[in-house]
Amino acid sequence: MRYLVVVAFVGIVGSLAAALVAMMKGDSSSGDAHRSRRMARALTARIGLSILLFLLIILSHWMGWIQPTGLPAH
């Protein structure tokens, strides 16, 4: 389970980095529309991966695959 969460985090950070590269790239030959489309796709992938990771953690807790740690609830 840890490896799956780590892979999801790496994917989230990677898509965020791809959006940053698309935003910062100053290549005028590719055009603003193409750059904006690439950035939007990368950010959409980041949002999708974040939601998928959140649902996976909730499902894992519900199935008993992971246990909460930390302060006990009173």
Side-chain angles (χ1 to χ4, degrees):
M1 190 61 168
R2 273 188 200 157
Y3 297 119
L4 191 60
V5 171
V6 169
V7 168
F9 275 133
V10 168
I12 290 167
V13 171
S15 65
L16 190 60
L20 176 68
V21 168
M23 182 178 69
M24 297 302 288
K25 196 167 186 176
D27 187 15
S28 61
S29 64
S30 66
D32 286 339
H34 178 62
R35 193 173 343 146
S36 295
R37 202 173 317 126
R38 275 193 345 201
M39 187 173 64
R41 262 193 232 130
L43 292 175
T44 302
R46 183 187 66 88
I47 292 169
L49 285 171
S50 298
I51 291 171
L52 185 66
L53 178 62
F54 182 72
L55 292 175
L56 178 69
I57 290 172
I58 289 176
L59 177 70
S60 298
H61 182 285
W62 183 70
M63 297 291 285
W65 297 337
I66 58 174
Q67 297 298 320
T69 60
L71 299 174
H74 292 292

